[in-house]
Amino acid sequence: MSESLNQASHLQGSEGFHTPSARVYISYDPANPPSHPGANWTRFVCISDTHSHTFSVPSGDVLLHSGDLSRLGREDEISVTIEWLRSLDHGVKIIIAGNHDLPLHEEWYEDSYYAFHDKKESSTAIKSLVDSDANRDRGLIYLQDQQYTFSTKEGGREWSVYGSPWQPYFGGWAFNYLPEEAYDRVSAIPEVDILLTHGPPHNILDKTFTNVNAGCPTLLGHLSKMREPPLLHVFGHIHEARGAVRHSWLQADEDQCFSDSECSPALGTKETIMVNAANLPLGRQAIRPGPGGQRIPCGGLGFQPVIVDLLDSATRLEM
């Protein structure tokens, strides 16, 4: 069960919602973003689907990028994005790939590059742009089906994050999986504080312009069976569904489970903040209403980075 922005509590001077341990800002004055709530909180700034565009990003403790770093994964496109990300002042920056970052899906690219590129790019060179010692020294961490832990302050909370670039089959692009492959892909996702996937779970911020819920049912099912689902799940891919919701996991009681593998005992209502952080407006959403019909830029009004402030003492058992 998800609570949409319109149903949620609003914060003065911005659009968003809050819980006792989280504050979410979906739109705000970019010249005057909400102030950091204090030493006992960690600010996560969420972006996705930037496609080699650069724009102003609010300061924060952690930057999360949920894939589609580039237009088509060419080396010059990836270089633009990485230089931009390096320049941002967030102490920790976690990034994953998406279906447009073609050469980062190395085995697939070897067989399929010709459908997208006239000349084959070097997967090795491009991987070294996103995943290098120089990047890690600047707090820029690339995850591809990997887990990472970090702290943003000395003696502070250690946060766990997992990043996965995969999504259901979509036109034969990179990091696609067929329905029969879905379980093997998503079952590897562990219980962590922060989850980054490129594609959304089914029926959560995943509705396309053609009114199709394009998210992954298997991903939703996997998360629903976790004893401790993530506090924050950030994704993109479906640009037109950008936004944030509170999703409640209403798990069955222990005596309703048919087997240990099918569900876990209820530990009270759990919630995950779900964020579709897509920044590049597409189609009719890319044109500002009114005279002149000006185009909305990547990261512009209505497609800004989403700010999520989490209380350091927040637990995955109960938001």
Side-chain angles (χ1 to χ4, degrees):
M1 181 176 66
S2 297
E3 183 179 10
S4 71
L5 166 63
N6 292 332
Q7 295 170 308
S9 302
H10 285 251
L11 298 173
Q12 187 174 11
S14 64
E15 285 188 344
F17 56 85
H18 63 82
T19 74
S21 56
R23 301 175 182 179
V24 180
Y25 301 89
I26 299 169
S27 66
Y28 45 85
D29 178 359
N32 187 29
S35 59
H36 193 294
N40 295 327
W41 294 74
T42 298
R43 170 157 291 186
F44 297 86
V45 180
C46 309
I47 62 177
S48 187
D49 299 87
T50 56
H51 295 282
S52 301
H53 294 274
T54 64
F55 48 87
S56 178
V57 178
S59 294
D61 302 301
V62 183
L63 181 77
L64 302 173
H65 193 310
S66 281
D68 279 0
L69 305 165
S70 63
R71 295 178 177 89
L72 288 172
R74 294 188 174 91
E75 187 171 352
D76 59 339
E77 297 172 354
I78 294 286
S79 294
V80 167
T81 298
I82 294 302
E83 286 304 312
W84 170 56
L85 293 174
R86 283 178 174 176
S87 75
L88 300 177
D89 63 3
H90 310 76
V92 179
K93 291 167 268 202
I94 312 291
I95 66 174
I96 65 171
N99 60 298
H100 278 254
D101 303 315
L102 309 177
L104 291 174
H105 188 177
E106 296 176 49
E107 293 180 5
W108 171 88
Y109 186 68
E110 283 292 316
D111 295 332
S112 305
Y113 75 89
Y114 57 85
F116 300 89
H117 292 166
D118 295 332
K119 177 184 175 183
K120 186 162 77 169
E121 300 271 335
S122 169
S123 291
T124 301
I126 291 168
K127 183 69 176 287
S128 70
L129 284 173
V130 300
D131 190 11
S132 68
D133 290 340
N135 285 352
R136 287 187 285 274
D137 288 344
R138 301 188 191 193
L140 178 57
I141 308 298
Y142 175 74
L143 299 179
Q144 188 168 311
D145 301 314
Q146 294 167 294
Q147 184 171 340
Y148 180 72
T149 57
F150 63 91
S151 297
T152 61
K153 54 184 83 79
E154 188 171 350
R157 174 177 179 154
E158 185 174 78
W159 299 90
S160 58
V161 58
Y162 186 87
S164 170
W166 299 91
Q167 73 282 160
Y169 183 85
F170 182 77
W173 289 69
F175 299 110
N176 282 188
Y177 52 77
L178 296 170
E180 59 268 26
E181 300 169 324
Y183 179 78
D184 288 341
R185 288 297 178 194
V186 305
S187 63
I189 296 172
E191 295 188 4
V192 289
D193 298 318
I194 314 296
L195 176 61
L196 301 184
T197 61
H198 184 56
H202 183 67
N203 207 33
I204 299 176
L205 300 170
D206 70 335
K207 187 166 286 188
T208 69
F209 283 129
T210 56
N211 212 34
V212 172
N213 292 106
C216 179
T218 307
L219 175 58
L220 180 67
H222 179 62
L223 297 177
S224 74
K225 295 170 187 174
M226 290 182 171
R227 291 180 64 88
E228 299 182 26
L231 288 169
L232 174 62
H233 182 186
V234 185
F235 46 87
H237 190 46
I238 310 301
H239 296 220
E240 56 266 45
R242 181 256 184 198
V245 297
R246 295 167 59 186
H247 183 79
S248 296
W249 304 103
L250 303 178
Q251 293 164 312
D253 293 332
E254 187 171 9
D255 59 6
Q256 293 178 309
C257 295
F258 296 102
S259 72
D260 289 341
S261 64
E262 289 186 338
C263 59
S264 58
L267 298 173
T269 300
K270 309 174 187 73
E271 286 190 346
T272 297
I273 294 172
M274 301 283 191
V275 176
N276 181 331
N279 294 115
L280 182 64
L282 297 178
R284 60 180 179 270
Q285 290 183 336
I287 306 301
R288 198 184 308 277
Q294 291 183 319
R295 188 168 186 85
I296 299 171
C298 188
L301 188 64
F303 287 85
Q304 300 161 269
V306 176
I307 296 172
V308 180
D309 294 329
L310 294 180
L311 191 64
D312 290 348
S313 60
T315 70
R316 301 200 304 274
L317 293 179
E318 195 169 77
M319 286 285 287

